Amino acid sequence: MDVMETSFITTGDGVRIAYRFDGPSELPVLLLSNSIGTDLHMWDAEVPALSEHFRVLRYDGRGHGDSGVPTGAYSVDRLGRDVLELLDALGLRRVHLLGLSLGGFVGQWLGIHAPERVDRLVLANTAAHVGPPEYFDGAIAELLAAPDMDATAETFLRNWFPAQMLETDNPAVEAFRRTLRATKREGVAGSWAAVRDADLRRTISLIGSPTLVIAGEHDTVTSAEHGKEIAAGIPGARLRVLPAVHLSNVEQHEAFLDAVVTFLKEPA
């Protein structure tokens, strides 16, 4: 398998974006977009299987991992444009896209505003709109006043995984805990603002790419109802509900991979 070390581009507004490739260069490119509070390593367990079929492109969203951390509110529009600038810098005209949670918001934005760049689209554990805005305002203020990310990290983990995974020394959970604690508060706050201000419920009807929506039956962050709403709003979209909480790629690893690869490999 061809593997690149982490590389970087700089966006038009001066933010460094980290990325890496995995898989043979002759395969079609699959772009993976992450949730808030994670970096490109959230897909480490999935990359070996995905890279048998695709040239996998992962990146750290602004505010996360090795990418730059500008202060202030981000927007889904800016996060989507980060991806377009990354694709342009790499000379990639068209890719498959898999986005989870915030990455699903980015995927929807790209499907709406840059349909010529998206071949097939997988939207996992995400929503077209999450409210109310007052919730995010309070969470942002509390986070920025906190001494560190420790309390927020534990809240994220409780929202991401079932209790039985949290009650054991699960190595997957520990890896996400370390990443959360290392993430800059400004990156999480800026990303929360992007979700707070996003409402794609009307415009997702413009998405023309073949789309698979994956929802978690027990997800309390972006519920199965949110997934159903997206699937109903995108013409021809399919819905797959997995018995999972929020990080369905981790909790339902094999079923998640099977759904994604089967959908992306189907004949046109």
Side-chain angles (χ1 to χ4, degrees):
M1 180 174 71
D2 297 337
V3 178
M4 275 180 51
E5 296 301 317
T6 301
S7 301
F8 301 90
I9 68 158
T10 300
T11 63
D13 65 339
V15 175
R16 188 174 78 159
I17 300 295
Y19 71 92
R20 64 174 288 167
F21 279 107
D22 297 271
S25 57
E26 68 272 12
L27 294 178
V29 174
L30 170 60
L31 173 70
L32 306 181
S33 190
N34 314 334
S35 71
I36 296 175
T38 70
D39 58 19
L40 55 78
H41 294 291
M42 76 164 281
W43 304 104
D44 279 355
E46 288 71 54
V47 165
L50 291 175
S51 59
E52 293 179 9
H53 308 279
F54 308 101
R55 175 75 157 161
V56 178
L57 172 58
R58 295 182 275 171
Y59 73 102
D60 289 336
R62 63 173 57 209
H64 293 78
D66 291 325
S67 290
V69 188
T71 58
Y74 306 164
S75 69
V76 171
D77 179 88
R78 180 63 259 181
L79 298 176
R81 294 185 187 282
D82 288 346
V83 172
L84 292 179
E85 292 193 45
L86 175 62
L87 297 181
D88 288 345
L90 298 175
L92 297 173
R93 185 184 67 82
R94 191 172 175 87
V95 298
H96 298 308
L97 194 151
L98 162 57
L100 190 147
S101 196
L102 177 61
F105 275 93
V106 174
Q108 291 171 78
W109 187 93
L110 288 163
I112 295 163
H113 295 280
E116 72 283 357
R117 310 302 291 270
V118 180
D119 192 347
R120 295 194 177 201
L121 182 60
V122 182
L123 305 171
N125 299 85
T126 191
H129 173 72
V130 180
E134 293 78 17
Y135 165 80
F136 290 100
D137 291 338
I140 290 167
E142 183 177 347
L143 174 58
L144 294 179
D148 52 42
M149 275 287 293
D150 288 358
T152 298
E154 296 309 310
T155 299
F156 268 93
L157 294 173
R158 287 193 297 271
N159 288 334
W160 284 354
F161 298 109
Q164 62 267 29
M165 289 185 68
L166 298 174
E167 292 165 358
T168 61
D169 293 327
N170 188 294
V173 173
E174 289 305 311
F176 280 97
R177 179 177 279 117
R178 288 192 298 271
T179 300
L180 281 162
R181 288 178 171 174
T183 301
K184 300 291 179 59
R185 288 176 293 168
E186 294 81 4
V188 173
S191 300
W192 269 343
V195 174
R196 176 196 65 197
D197 298 337
D199 189 347
L200 307 175
R201 287 176 291 183
R202 293 181 63 186
T203 50
I204 56 173
S205 63
L206 300 174
I207 295 176
S209 302
T211 301
L212 171 66
V213 180
I214 298 175
E217 181 182 358
H218 311 296
D219 194 342
T220 59
V221 180
T222 53
S223 68
E225 291 303 314
H226 285 118
K228 292 175 184 177
E229 182 179 50
I230 295 173
I234 298 175
R238 304 179 198 174
L239 175 67
R240 177 78 181 271
V241 180
L242 298 178
V245 186
H246 192 58
L247 293 190
S248 58
N249 64 308
V250 179
E251 188 182 348
Q252 292 291 322
H253 173 75
E254 295 297 335
F256 184 92
L257 280 173
D258 179 68
V260 169
V261 173
T262 299
F263 172 72
L264 295 179
K265 294 286 288 181
E266 283 181 354

